[in-house]
Amino acid sequence: MTTPKVALITGITGQDGAYLAEFLLEKGYTVHGIKRRASSFNTARVDHILDGEVWSVPSIKPLSPQQLAQIANRVDCIVTLEEHSIMGGLGACVAEEVAAHRPLRVCRIGIEDRFSAYCGTWDYLLHEHRLDLPSIKKKIEAFLALAPVSIS
């Protein structure tokens, strides 16, 4: 009997997070989501797929190590999605905290740590920084294709 694959998505109530949740569900994953407290009434994009828990992260700090450890013990991988730098963001905090508890793959999606001289429309910037839906799907597919973490 195979163990079901489980993923954790930060920003699940946003447009990209909702698309990502649907994509992972199609791939056979059980999906858990994290949302900002400000999004408490803005779950329309994911109401039709929500079947599990949603973890509220109103700000990066203080991050609840106990809650994150509990979640990390129930999932096979974590995907964080941020519209800002991945260096020092939520994904970095999640990866650091999870590493203290157990080996777990964490995919951090956000703006790479580089200077950006670009300006333009919101859609243009999302595309330029590879945060548009096709780019996010490509990153997730590459992440999911990697071998799972195993400890001998």
Side-chain angles (χ1 to χ4, degrees):
M1 182 175 183
T2 59
T3 306
K5 296 177 183 177
V6 182
L8 173 67
I9 302 174
T10 61
I12 194 167
T13 57
Q15 180 178 1
D16 294 334
Y19 287 141
L20 176 58
E22 288 181 5
F23 174 73
L24 289 172
L25 287 168
E26 290 171 6
K27 296 283 185 181
Y29 276 73
T30 299
V31 174
H32 298 275
I34 296 176
K35 66 180 178 76
R36 293 185 337 250
R37 184 168 293 152
S39 301
S40 60
F41 298 107
N42 186 20
T43 59
R45 290 185 183 109
V46 292
D47 283 341
H48 65 289
I49 58 172
L50 283 179
D51 190 22
E53 66 187 84
V54 175
W55 188 39
S56 177
V57 182
S59 62
I60 293 176
K61 293 185 180 185
L63 189 66
S64 172
Q66 298 81 12
Q67 280 185 317
L68 192 51
Q70 290 171 357
I71 291 169
N73 286 328
R74 295 191 305 261
V75 300
D76 297 309
C77 66
I78 295 176
V79 176
T80 64
L81 178 60
E82 318 181 52
E83 292 178 341
H84 48 81
S85 176
I86 59 173
M87 301 302 292
L90 179 63
C93 291
V94 167
E96 184 177 330
E97 191 60 43
V98 165
H101 297 285
R102 67 176 276 231
L104 187 66
R105 295 182 330 141
V106 177
C107 176
R108 298 179 305 148
I109 300 174
I111 296 175
E112 300 296 323
D113 190 28
R114 65 178 174 87
F115 177 77
S116 176
Y118 300 103
C119 62
T121 66
W122 181 251
D123 290 335
Y124 172 79
L125 291 172
L126 289 177
H127 176 73
E128 178 60 38
H129 292 287
R130 296 181 302 280
L131 292 176
D132 56 329
L133 187 56
S135 298
I136 291 170
K137 280 187 172 183
K138 187 174 180 180
K139 288 178 185 180
I140 295 297
E141 286 173 338
F143 174 73
L144 295 177
L146 296 173
V149 173
S150 63
I151 300 296
S152 317

